[in-house]
Each structure stands twice: as structure tokens, then as C-alpha cells.
Amino acid sequence: MHPTHPNPAKQQAAFMAKPAASVGNTVHANLAQPARAPSVQAHGAGTAVPGRAAAGQGGAPTQPPQGVAPYQPPSPALRAVFAARAAQVPLTRQDLPPALLESVPHCWAAAQAASQPVTELHVAAWLKKLGPLVTNPPGPATAAAQCRAIYEVCADIPCGAWGHAARLAWVRQPPRQGYPVGARWPSPNELRTHLQPFANAIAQDVAGCKALMALHPLQEH
């Protein structure tokens, strides 16, 4: 007997007949798989770039991003300078230590990256890590719909606000009138309200860096 060989035409037809994965299926798979540490890096800065997958051979993305690198806020001393500038306190370059001024470009780059829009996959990765910390995470039948609803309501919250600190802050909330808020899965509106202060802090850091660099150039020629 001669061995049978697969028919290339039939193989191609069968492949073309397979349904393409939908966004909902992708998000559901992301929620169902074990969490992975973020591996997407910005060019030359070591900072995660939201919505951009790591490049493989030939520049092709190897896999979608699984999360957002945590935002590293500026030092308390630099934030104190931001607050002084926002309060219209007159400051000169001589009032600021050189080391503090040298930290402004790094803070500016980090705040700019943290201000980028969040993606639905990033939201799914953040919610997946929240699941084990609450008592009522969504099941397989509702996980994708829950993620889409939260993303739709919270899409204006920048990527840097979706970090480990915000997740811990949620679960560490004290009970409200006997209701264990932090132990329960959030509604979209509850989560947006919770994340808003983190987003505001990033916006204030951006404004503070911008004002400081505009009034006190870091490089003099």
C-alpha cells in the first residue's frame, strides 16, 4: 500500500474555515490564563509602553502585553516642589538642589508613559490579578463581559493608574456600614472612582514636570 498524502487544497480550505478569534475570546483567554509579569519595554528607558507588544524576529510582535509596568512616582521632595509651584510660590533655580533638578527628566518620561491610554488587554490583566484577592470574582461565563464593561467605563483612566498599588488599595478598604467593599468584585463605576486619585496624581506629576522644565531649563548653552 502506498502512503496517503494530505491534500494541500483541502488543508487550506479547512484552515480558512476556522473562525477568527474575537476580542471577547482574547480577553476571556487572558483572564483564564495564569498571570505573567509585564515584559514590554519602552525604547531605551526600561518603561512599559501600553498597547505595544515586544518585537520578535523581523519586528513582529511575539505576544500581546499582559499588564502595565508600575508607575514610579517622583520623590516626595520633587512632589513638594510641584505643590509649591501649583500654589504660586515663587521659586528660582537656586532654590532647588541640583540632584532634584536632575531627576526631573526621568520623572517627565515616566509620567508621560503612565499617561498613555490603557488597553482592554491591560485592564483584563489587572482584573485577573484582582480575582484571587476578592471573594466573588466573575466566572468563565461572565469574565469577558465584566472586563468589557469595566474597560468601557474606565477607558479614560490612564495606564499608569492600573498598578499594584491601586489593586492593593482596593482590597485594603475597610468595610462600609458592615459591607466588605475590599473583599468584593467592583462595579465599573466603583472601580473608576477608586482609580481616579491615581490618575489625578499622574496628571499632577506631568503638569509639575512641564512647569518646572519650562521655567527652569535643565540644559543651558
Side-chain angles (χ1 to χ4, degrees), residues 23-36 66 120-121 123-132 137-145 147 185:
V23 173
N25 291 337
T26 301
V27 172
H28 179 269
N30 189 55
L31 285 170
Q33 295 298 323
R36 298 178 183 176
Q66 298 296 322
E120 190 171 353
L121 286 177
V123 172
W126 192 90
L127 292 174
K128 174 181 170 39
K129 293 180 180 179
L130 179 65
T142 60
C147 178
W185 187 260

PDB file of all heavy atoms in Angstrom, residues 23-36 66 120-121 123-132 137-145 147 185:
ATOM      1  N   VAL A  23     -12.356  39.712  19.996  1.00  0.00           N
ATOM      2  CA  VAL A  23     -11.756  40.435  21.115  1.00  0.00           C
ATOM      3  C   VAL A  23     -12.237  39.852  22.428  1.00  0.00           C
ATOM      4  O   VAL A  23     -11.478  39.680  23.381  1.00  0.00           O
ATOM      5  CB  VAL A  23     -12.106  41.934  21.026  1.00  0.00           C
ATOM      6  CG1 VAL A  23     -11.627  42.667  22.263  1.00  0.00           C
ATOM      7  CG2 VAL A  23     -11.506  42.543  19.779  1.00  0.00           C
ATOM      8  N   GLY A  24     -13.514  39.490  22.485  1.00  0.00           N
ATOM      9  CA  GLY A  24     -14.048  38.895  23.701  1.00  0.00           C
ATOM     10  C   GLY A  24     -13.374  37.596  24.043  1.00  0.00           C
ATOM     11  O   GLY A  24     -13.061  37.326  25.201  1.00  0.00           O
ATOM     12  N   ASN A  25     -13.115  36.754  23.025  1.00  0.00           N
ATOM     13  CA  ASN A  25     -12.422  35.497  23.287  1.00  0.00           C
ATOM     14  C   ASN A  25     -11.006  35.738  23.768  1.00  0.00           C
ATOM     15  O   ASN A  25     -10.490  35.042  24.636  1.00  0.00           O
ATOM     16  CB  ASN A  25     -12.403  34.631  22.022  1.00  0.00           C
ATOM     17  CG  ASN A  25     -13.783  34.109  21.669  1.00  0.00           C
ATOM     18  OD1 ASN A  25     -14.655  34.026  22.537  1.00  0.00           O
ATOM     19  ND2 ASN A  25     -13.991  33.778  20.415  1.00  0.00           N
ATOM     20  N   THR A  26     -10.341  36.742  23.179  1.00  0.00           N
ATOM     21  CA  THR A  26      -8.972  37.055  23.586  1.00  0.00           C
ATOM     22  C   THR A  26      -8.934  37.507  25.040  1.00  0.00           C
ATOM     23  O   THR A  26      -8.080  37.097  25.813  1.00  0.00           O
ATOM     24  CB  THR A  26      -8.387  38.159  22.684  1.00  0.00           C
ATOM     25  OG1 THR A  26      -8.418  37.705  21.333  1.00  0.00           O
ATOM     26  CG2 THR A  26      -6.952  38.479  23.081  1.00  0.00           C
ATOM     27  N   VAL A  27      -9.870  38.382  25.410  1.00  0.00           N
ATOM     28  CA  VAL A  27      -9.911  38.869  26.786  1.00  0.00           C
ATOM     29  C   VAL A  27     -10.246  37.739  27.737  1.00  0.00           C
ATOM     30  O   VAL A  27      -9.651  37.614  28.811  1.00  0.00           O
ATOM     31  CB  VAL A  27     -10.950  40.004  26.908  1.00  0.00           C
ATOM     32  CG1 VAL A  27     -11.148  40.386  28.371  1.00  0.00           C
ATOM     33  CG2 VAL A  27     -10.511  41.199  26.102  1.00  0.00           C
ATOM     34  N   HIS A  28     -11.189  36.880  27.359  1.00  0.00           N
ATOM     35  CA  HIS A  28     -11.551  35.756  28.214  1.00  0.00           C
ATOM     36  C   HIS A  28     -10.360  34.832  28.424  1.00  0.00           C
ATOM     37  O   HIS A  28     -10.100  34.366  29.533  1.00  0.00           O
ATOM     38  CB  HIS A  28     -12.715  34.984  27.607  1.00  0.00           C
ATOM     39  CG  HIS A  28     -13.114  33.795  28.430  1.00  0.00           C
ATOM     40  ND1 HIS A  28     -12.580  32.546  28.237  1.00  0.00           N
ATOM     41  CD2 HIS A  28     -13.972  33.688  29.470  1.00  0.00           C
ATOM     42  CE1 HIS A  28     -13.109  31.704  29.101  1.00  0.00           C
ATOM     43  NE2 HIS A  28     -13.960  32.365  29.862  1.00  0.00           N
ATOM     44  N   ALA A  29      -9.594  34.580  27.334  1.00  0.00           N
ATOM     45  CA  ALA A  29      -8.407  33.731  27.460  1.00  0.00           C
ATOM     46  C   ALA A  29      -7.378  34.379  28.364  1.00  0.00           C
ATOM     47  O   ALA A  29      -6.707  33.725  29.162  1.00  0.00           O
ATOM     48  CB  ALA A  29      -7.805  33.452  26.082  1.00  0.00           C
ATOM     49  N   ASN A  30      -7.251  35.708  28.274  1.00  0.00           N
ATOM     50  CA  ASN A  30      -6.289  36.409  29.120  1.00  0.00           C
ATOM     51  C   ASN A  30      -6.665  36.306  30.591  1.00  0.00           C
ATOM     52  O   ASN A  30      -5.815  36.176  31.458  1.00  0.00           O
ATOM     53  CB  ASN A  30      -6.221  37.883  28.699  1.00  0.00           C
ATOM     54  CG  ASN A  30      -5.099  38.620  29.382  1.00  0.00           C
ATOM     55  OD1 ASN A  30      -3.958  38.208  29.300  1.00  0.00           O
ATOM     56  ND2 ASN A  30      -5.422  39.697  30.057  1.00  0.00           N
ATOM     57  N   LEU A  31      -7.968  36.370  30.884  1.00  0.00           N
ATOM     58  CA  LEU A  31      -8.410  36.261  32.262  1.00  0.00           C
ATOM     59  C   LEU A  31      -8.272  34.837  32.788  1.00  0.00           C
ATOM     60  O   LEU A  31      -8.078  34.621  33.975  1.00  0.00           O
ATOM     61  CB  LEU A  31      -9.885  36.690  32.370  1.00  0.00           C
ATOM     62  CG  LEU A  31     -10.138  38.197  32.277  1.00  0.00           C
ATOM     63  CD1 LEU A  31     -11.626  38.461  32.151  1.00  0.00           C
ATOM     64  CD2 LEU A  31      -9.594  38.922  33.477  1.00  0.00           C
ATOM     65  N   ALA A  32      -8.374  33.859  31.871  1.00  0.00           N
ATOM     66  CA  ALA A  32      -8.353  32.470  32.299  1.00  0.00           C
ATOM     67  C   ALA A  32      -6.951  31.926  32.476  1.00  0.00           C
ATOM     68  O   ALA A  32      -6.736  30.963  33.199  1.00  0.00           O
ATOM     69  CB  ALA A  32      -9.105  31.600  31.282  1.00  0.00           C
ATOM     70  N   GLN A  33      -5.946  32.525  31.817  1.00  0.00           N
ATOM     71  CA  GLN A  33      -4.587  32.010  31.887  1.00  0.00           C
ATOM     72  C   GLN A  33      -3.865  32.585  33.094  1.00  0.00           C
ATOM     73  O   GLN A  33      -4.213  33.652  33.598  1.00  0.00           O
ATOM     74  CB  GLN A  33      -3.811  32.378  30.602  1.00  0.00           C
ATOM     75  CG  GLN A  33      -4.370  31.704  29.355  1.00  0.00           C
ATOM     76  CD  GLN A  33      -4.285  30.193  29.441  1.00  0.00           C
ATOM     77  OE1 GLN A  33      -3.324  29.652  29.979  1.00  0.00           O
ATOM     78  NE2 GLN A  33      -5.298  29.501  28.927  1.00  0.00           N
ATOM     79  N   PRO A  34      -2.813  31.911  33.585  1.00  0.00           N
ATOM     80  CA  PRO A  34      -2.050  32.446  34.720  1.00  0.00           C
ATOM     81  C   PRO A  34      -1.445  33.792  34.396  1.00  0.00           C
ATOM     82  O   PRO A  34      -1.094  34.072  33.250  1.00  0.00           O
ATOM     83  CB  PRO A  34      -0.960  31.376  34.944  1.00  0.00           C
ATOM     84  CG  PRO A  34      -1.503  30.138  34.311  1.00  0.00           C
ATOM     85  CD  PRO A  34      -2.347  30.591  33.161  1.00  0.00           C
ATOM     86  N   ALA A  35      -1.351  34.624  35.411  1.00  0.00           N
ATOM     87  CA  ALA A  35      -0.801  35.968  35.215  1.00  0.00           C
ATOM     88  C   ALA A  35       0.671  35.892  34.893  1.00  0.00           C
ATOM     89  O   ALA A  35       1.394  35.047  35.395  1.00  0.00           O
ATOM     90  CB  ALA A  35      -1.012  36.808  36.483  1.00  0.00           C
ATOM     91  N   ARG A  36       1.116  36.813  34.043  1.00  0.00           N
ATOM     92  CA  ARG A  36       2.527  36.898  33.684  1.00  0.00           C
ATOM     93  C   ARG A  36       3.023  38.293  33.987  1.00  0.00           C
ATOM     94  O   ARG A  36       2.289  39.264  33.899  1.00  0.00           O
ATOM     95  CB  ARG A  36       2.725  36.597  32.191  1.00  0.00           C
ATOM     96  CG  ARG A  36       2.297  35.185  31.799  1.00  0.00           C
ATOM     97  CD  ARG A  36       2.470  34.986  30.305  1.00  0.00           C
ATOM     98  NE  ARG A  36       2.008  33.674  29.886  1.00  0.00           N
ATOM     99  CZ  ARG A  36       1.977  33.264  28.620  1.00  0.00           C
ATOM    100  NH1 ARG A  36       2.382  34.073  27.663  1.00  0.00           N
ATOM    101  NH2 ARG A  36       1.533  32.065  28.309  1.00  0.00           N
ATOM    102  N   GLN A  66       0.702  41.655  28.725  1.00  0.00           N
ATOM    103  CA  GLN A  66      -0.074  41.038  29.775  1.00  0.00           C
ATOM    104  C   GLN A  66      -0.343  41.987  30.944  1.00  0.00           C
ATOM    105  O   GLN A  66      -1.058  41.641  31.848  1.00  0.00           O
ATOM    106  CB  GLN A  66       0.668  39.797  30.303  1.00  0.00           C
ATOM    107  CG  GLN A  66       0.864  38.718  29.259  1.00  0.00           C
ATOM    108  CD  GLN A  66      -0.454  38.144  28.791  1.00  0.00           C
ATOM    109  OE1 GLN A  66      -1.373  37.972  29.570  1.00  0.00           O
ATOM    110  NE2 GLN A  66      -0.560  37.856  27.511  1.00  0.00           N
ATOM    111  N   GLU A 120      -7.715  47.310  26.495  1.00  0.00           N
ATOM    112  CA  GLU A 120      -8.597  46.321  27.106  1.00  0.00           C
ATOM    113  C   GLU A 120      -7.804  45.124  27.633  1.00  0.00           C
ATOM    114  O   GLU A 120      -8.161  44.536  28.664  1.00  0.00           O
ATOM    115  CB  GLU A 120      -9.652  45.851  26.096  1.00  0.00           C
ATOM    116  CG  GLU A 120     -10.745  44.997  26.723  1.00  0.00           C
ATOM    117  CD  GLU A 120     -11.890  44.710  25.780  1.00  0.00           C
ATOM    118  OE1 GLU A 120     -11.905  45.282  24.672  1.00  0.00           O
ATOM    119  OE2 GLU A 120     -12.768  43.905  26.141  1.00  0.00           O
ATOM    120  N   LEU A 121      -6.727  44.761  26.968  1.00  0.00           N
ATOM    121  CA  LEU A 121      -5.903  43.659  27.453  1.00  0.00           C
ATOM    122  C   LEU A 121      -5.209  44.014  28.766  1.00  0.00           C
ATOM    123  O   LEU A 121      -5.041  43.169  29.648  1.00  0.00           O
ATOM    124  CB  LEU A 121      -4.867  43.267  26.401  1.00  0.00           C
ATOM    125  CG  LEU A 121      -5.394  42.495  25.189  1.00  0.00           C
ATOM    126  CD1 LEU A 121      -4.273  42.227  24.200  1.00  0.00           C
ATOM    127  CD2 LEU A 121      -6.043  41.199  25.612  1.00  0.00           C
ATOM    128  N   VAL A 123      -6.423  46.088  31.007  1.00  0.00           N
ATOM    129  CA  VAL A 123      -7.481  46.028  32.017  1.00  0.00           C
ATOM    130  C   VAL A 123      -7.746  44.581  32.407  1.00  0.00           C
ATOM    131  O   VAL A 123      -7.909  44.251  33.586  1.00  0.00           O
ATOM    132  CB  VAL A 123      -8.758  46.708  31.498  1.00  0.00           C
ATOM    133  CG1 VAL A 123      -9.924  46.481  32.452  1.00  0.00           C
ATOM    134  CG2 VAL A 123      -8.518  48.205  31.304  1.00  0.00           C
ATOM    135  N   ALA A 124      -7.787  43.694  31.409  1.00  0.00           N
ATOM    136  CA  ALA A 124      -8.032  42.277  31.687  1.00  0.00           C
ATOM    137  C   ALA A 124      -6.930  41.694  32.568  1.00  0.00           C
ATOM    138  O   ALA A 124      -7.200  40.922  33.500  1.00  0.00           O
ATOM    139  CB  ALA A 124      -8.132  41.493  30.380  1.00  0.00           C
ATOM    140  N   ALA A 125      -5.680  42.059  32.302  1.00  0.00           N
ATOM    141  CA  ALA A 125      -4.566  41.550  33.104  1.00  0.00           C
ATOM    142  C   ALA A 125      -4.654  42.067  34.535  1.00  0.00           C
ATOM    143  O   ALA A 125      -4.385  41.331  35.493  1.00  0.00           O
ATOM    144  CB  ALA A 125      -3.237  41.958  32.468  1.00  0.00           C
ATOM    145  N   TRP A 126      -5.031  43.328  34.691  1.00  0.00           N
ATOM    146  CA  TRP A 126      -5.163  43.907  36.036  1.00  0.00           C
ATOM    147  C   TRP A 126      -6.293  43.223  36.802  1.00  0.00           C
ATOM    148  O   TRP A 126      -6.149  42.887  37.979  1.00  0.00           O
ATOM    149  CB  TRP A 126      -5.431  45.402  35.909  1.00  0.00           C
ATOM    150  CG  TRP A 126      -5.304  46.190  37.180  1.00  0.00           C
ATOM    151  CD1 TRP A 126      -4.178  46.795  37.666  1.00  0.00           C
ATOM    152  CD2 TRP A 126      -6.336  46.456  38.135  1.00  0.00           C
ATOM    153  NE1 TRP A 126      -4.446  47.434  38.847  1.00  0.00           N
ATOM    154  CE2 TRP A 126      -5.764  47.249  39.162  1.00  0.00           C
ATOM    155  CE3 TRP A 126      -7.681  46.125  38.209  1.00  0.00           C
ATOM    156  CZ2 TRP A 126      -6.502  47.697  40.253  1.00  0.00           C
ATOM    157  CZ3 TRP A 126      -8.425  46.570  39.297  1.00  0.00           C
ATOM    158  CH2 TRP A 126      -7.838  47.344  40.309  1.00  0.00           C
ATOM    159  N   LEU A 127      -7.416  43.020  36.129  1.00  0.00           N
ATOM    160  CA  LEU A 127      -8.557  42.379  36.777  1.00  0.00           C
ATOM    161  C   LEU A 127      -8.257  40.926  37.114  1.00  0.00           C
ATOM    162  O   LEU A 127      -8.735  40.408  38.135  1.00  0.00           O
ATOM    163  CB  LEU A 127      -9.782  42.462  35.864  1.00  0.00           C
ATOM    164  CG  LEU A 127     -10.354  43.864  35.646  1.00  0.00           C
ATOM    165  CD1 LEU A 127     -11.466  43.823  34.604  1.00  0.00           C
ATOM    166  CD2 LEU A 127     -10.869  44.456  36.949  1.00  0.00           C
ATOM    167  N   LYS A 128      -7.481  40.263  36.275  1.00  0.00           N
ATOM    168  CA  LYS A 128      -7.133  38.871  36.553  1.00  0.00           C
ATOM    169  C   LYS A 128      -6.364  38.750  37.870  1.00  0.00           C
ATOM    170  O   LYS A 128      -6.583  37.823  38.647  1.00  0.00           O
ATOM    171  CB  LYS A 128      -6.302  38.293  35.414  1.00  0.00           C
ATOM    172  CG  LYS A 128      -5.793  36.891  35.722  1.00  0.00           C
ATOM    173  CD  LYS A 128      -4.956  36.350  34.623  1.00  0.00           C
ATOM    174  CE  LYS A 128      -4.273  35.077  35.070  1.00  0.00           C
ATOM    175  NZ  LYS A 128      -5.109  34.208  35.891  1.00  0.00           N
ATOM    176  N   LYS A 129      -5.476  39.704  38.138  1.00  0.00           N
ATOM    177  CA  LYS A 129      -4.723  39.678  39.386  1.00  0.00           C
ATOM    178  C   LYS A 129      -5.589  40.085  40.580  1.00  0.00           C
ATOM    179  O   LYS A 129      -5.274  39.744  41.717  1.00  0.00           O
ATOM    180  CB  LYS A 129      -3.508  40.597  39.275  1.00  0.00           C
ATOM    181  CG  LYS A 129      -2.474  40.104  38.269  1.00  0.00           C
ATOM    182  CD  LYS A 129      -1.288  41.050  38.198  1.00  0.00           C
ATOM    183  CE  LYS A 129      -0.256  40.557  37.188  1.00  0.00           C
ATOM    184  NZ  LYS A 129       0.906  41.477  37.090  1.00  0.00           N
ATOM    185  N   LEU A 130      -6.673  40.800  40.309  1.00  0.00           N
ATOM    186  CA  LEU A 130      -7.588  41.152  41.392  1.00  0.00           C
ATOM    187  C   LEU A 130      -8.442  39.962  41.800  1.00  0.00           C
ATOM    188  O   LEU A 130      -8.827  39.844  42.974  1.00  0.00           O
ATOM    189  CB  LEU A 130      -8.491  42.316  40.957  1.00  0.00           C
ATOM    190  CG  LEU A 130      -9.530  42.799  41.974  1.00  0.00           C
ATOM    191  CD1 LEU A 130      -8.838  43.402  43.194  1.00  0.00           C
ATOM    192  CD2 LEU A 130     -10.471  43.823  41.329  1.00  0.00           C
ATOM    193  N   GLY A 131      -8.738  39.072  40.850  1.00  0.00           N
ATOM    194  CA  GLY A 131      -9.638  37.955  41.099  1.00  0.00           C
ATOM    195  C   GLY A 131      -9.320  37.146  42.340  1.00  0.00           C
ATOM    196  O   GLY A 131     -10.202  36.907  43.171  1.00  0.00           O
ATOM    197  N   PRO A 132      -8.059  36.694  42.533  1.00  0.00           N
ATOM    198  CA  PRO A 132      -7.759  35.881  43.724  1.00  0.00           C
ATOM    199  C   PRO A 132      -7.857  36.641  45.041  1.00  0.00           C
ATOM    200  O   PRO A 132      -7.840  36.025  46.102  1.00  0.00           O
ATOM    201  CB  PRO A 132      -6.309  35.425  43.471  1.00  0.00           C
ATOM    202  CG  PRO A 132      -6.087  35.585  42.010  1.00  0.00           C
ATOM    203  CD  PRO A 132      -6.918  36.757  41.609  1.00  0.00           C
ATOM    204  N   PRO A 137     -15.037  36.730  42.415  1.00  0.00           N
ATOM    205  CA  PRO A 137     -14.589  37.066  41.057  1.00  0.00           C
ATOM    206  C   PRO A 137     -15.548  36.489  40.027  1.00  0.00           C
ATOM    207  O   PRO A 137     -16.238  35.495  40.304  1.00  0.00           O
ATOM    208  CB  PRO A 137     -13.211  36.415  40.975  1.00  0.00           C
ATOM    209  CG  PRO A 137     -13.286  35.276  41.931  1.00  0.00           C
ATOM    210  CD  PRO A 137     -14.141  35.761  43.072  1.00  0.00           C
ATOM    211  N   PRO A 138     -15.623  37.080  38.841  1.00  0.00           N
ATOM    212  CA  PRO A 138     -16.521  36.549  37.822  1.00  0.00           C
ATOM    213  C   PRO A 138     -16.066  35.181  37.338  1.00  0.00           C
ATOM    214  O   PRO A 138     -14.865  34.893  37.276  1.00  0.00           O
ATOM    215  CB  PRO A 138     -16.447  37.595  36.696  1.00  0.00           C
ATOM    216  CG  PRO A 138     -15.139  38.272  36.904  1.00  0.00           C
ATOM    217  CD  PRO A 138     -14.904  38.274  38.380  1.00  0.00           C
ATOM    218  N   GLY A 139     -17.029  34.345  36.992  1.00  0.00           N
ATOM    219  CA  GLY A 139     -16.718  33.030  36.467  1.00  0.00           C
ATOM    220  C   GLY A 139     -16.429  33.068  34.988  1.00  0.00           C
ATOM    221  O   GLY A 139     -16.496  34.124  34.344  1.00  0.00           O
ATOM    222  N   PRO A 140     -16.103  31.913  34.399  1.00  0.00           N
ATOM    223  CA  PRO A 140     -15.764  31.863  32.975  1.00  0.00           C
ATOM    224  C   PRO A 140     -16.870  32.392  32.069  1.00  0.00           C
ATOM    225  O   PRO A 140     -16.582  32.945  31.011  1.00  0.00           O
ATOM    226  CB  PRO A 140     -15.518  30.370  32.725  1.00  0.00           C
ATOM    227  CG  PRO A 140     -15.163  29.804  34.069  1.00  0.00           C
ATOM    228  CD  PRO A 140     -15.960  30.593  35.065  1.00  0.00           C
ATOM    229  N   ALA A 141     -18.128  32.243  32.480  1.00  0.00           N
ATOM    230  CA  ALA A 141     -19.229  32.659  31.616  1.00  0.00           C
ATOM    231  C   ALA A 141     -19.399  34.174  31.557  1.00  0.00           C
ATOM    232  O   ALA A 141     -19.961  34.700  30.595  1.00  0.00           O
ATOM    233  CB  ALA A 141     -20.535  32.009  32.083  1.00  0.00           C
ATOM    234  N   THR A 142     -18.910  34.886  32.570  1.00  0.00           N
ATOM    235  CA  THR A 142     -19.134  36.338  32.636  1.00  0.00           C
ATOM    236  C   THR A 142     -17.849  37.156  32.658  1.00  0.00           C
ATOM    237  O   THR A 142     -17.920  38.389  32.664  1.00  0.00           O
ATOM    238  CB  THR A 142     -19.954  36.681  33.892  1.00  0.00           C
ATOM    239  OG1 THR A 142     -19.234  36.247  35.058  1.00  0.00           O
ATOM    240  CG2 THR A 142     -21.321  36.006  33.859  1.00  0.00           C
ATOM    241  N   ALA A 143     -16.681  36.514  32.661  1.00  0.00           N
ATOM    242  CA  ALA A 143     -15.416  37.248  32.809  1.00  0.00           C
ATOM    243  C   ALA A 143     -15.207  38.243  31.677  1.00  0.00           C
ATOM    244  O   ALA A 143     -14.859  39.405  31.911  1.00  0.00           O
ATOM    245  CB  ALA A 143     -14.251  36.264  32.876  1.00  0.00           C
ATOM    246  N   ALA A 144     -15.419  37.810  30.435  1.00  0.00           N
ATOM    247  CA  ALA A 144     -15.176  38.706  29.295  1.00  0.00           C
ATOM    248  C   ALA A 144     -16.140  39.885  29.313  1.00  0.00           C
ATOM    249  O   ALA A 144     -15.748  41.025  29.046  1.00  0.00           O
ATOM    250  CB  ALA A 144     -15.301  37.922  27.988  1.00  0.00           C
ATOM    251  N   ALA A 145     -17.404  39.637  29.625  1.00  0.00           N
ATOM    252  CA  ALA A 145     -18.387  40.721  29.665  1.00  0.00           C
ATOM    253  C   ALA A 145     -18.064  41.706  30.787  1.00  0.00           C
ATOM    254  O   ALA A 145     -18.207  42.926  30.615  1.00  0.00           O
ATOM    255  CB  ALA A 145     -19.794  40.142  29.853  1.00  0.00           C
ATOM    256  N   CYS A 147     -15.082  42.367  31.971  1.00  0.00           N
ATOM    257  CA  CYS A 147     -13.910  43.137  31.547  1.00  0.00           C
ATOM    258  C   CYS A 147     -14.303  44.221  30.551  1.00  0.00           C
ATOM    259  O   CYS A 147     -13.856  45.362  30.651  1.00  0.00           O
ATOM    260  CB  CYS A 147     -12.866  42.203  30.940  1.00  0.00           C
ATOM    261  SG  CYS A 147     -11.398  43.069  30.335  1.00  0.00           S
ATOM    262  N   TRP A 185     -15.828  42.019  44.303  1.00  0.00           N
ATOM    263  CA  TRP A 185     -15.525  42.468  42.939  1.00  0.00           C
ATOM    264  C   TRP A 185     -16.179  43.828  42.701  1.00  0.00           C
ATOM    265  O   TRP A 185     -17.342  44.030  43.015  1.00  0.00           O
ATOM    266  CB  TRP A 185     -16.064  41.451  41.941  1.00  0.00           C
ATOM    267  CG  TRP A 185     -15.685  41.694  40.526  1.00  0.00           C
ATOM    268  CD1 TRP A 185     -16.450  42.281  39.553  1.00  0.00           C
ATOM    269  CD2 TRP A 185     -14.449  41.349  39.880  1.00  0.00           C
ATOM    270  NE1 TRP A 185     -15.773  42.339  38.362  1.00  0.00           N
ATOM    271  CE2 TRP A 185     -14.541  41.767  38.533  1.00  0.00           C
ATOM    272  CE3 TRP A 185     -13.284  40.733  40.330  1.00  0.00           C
ATOM    273  CZ2 TRP A 185     -13.508  41.570  37.620  1.00  0.00           C
ATOM    274  CZ3 TRP A 185     -12.246  40.553  39.434  1.00  0.00           C
ATOM    275  CH2 TRP A 185     -12.361  40.963  38.093  1.00  0.00           C
TER     276      TRP A 185
END
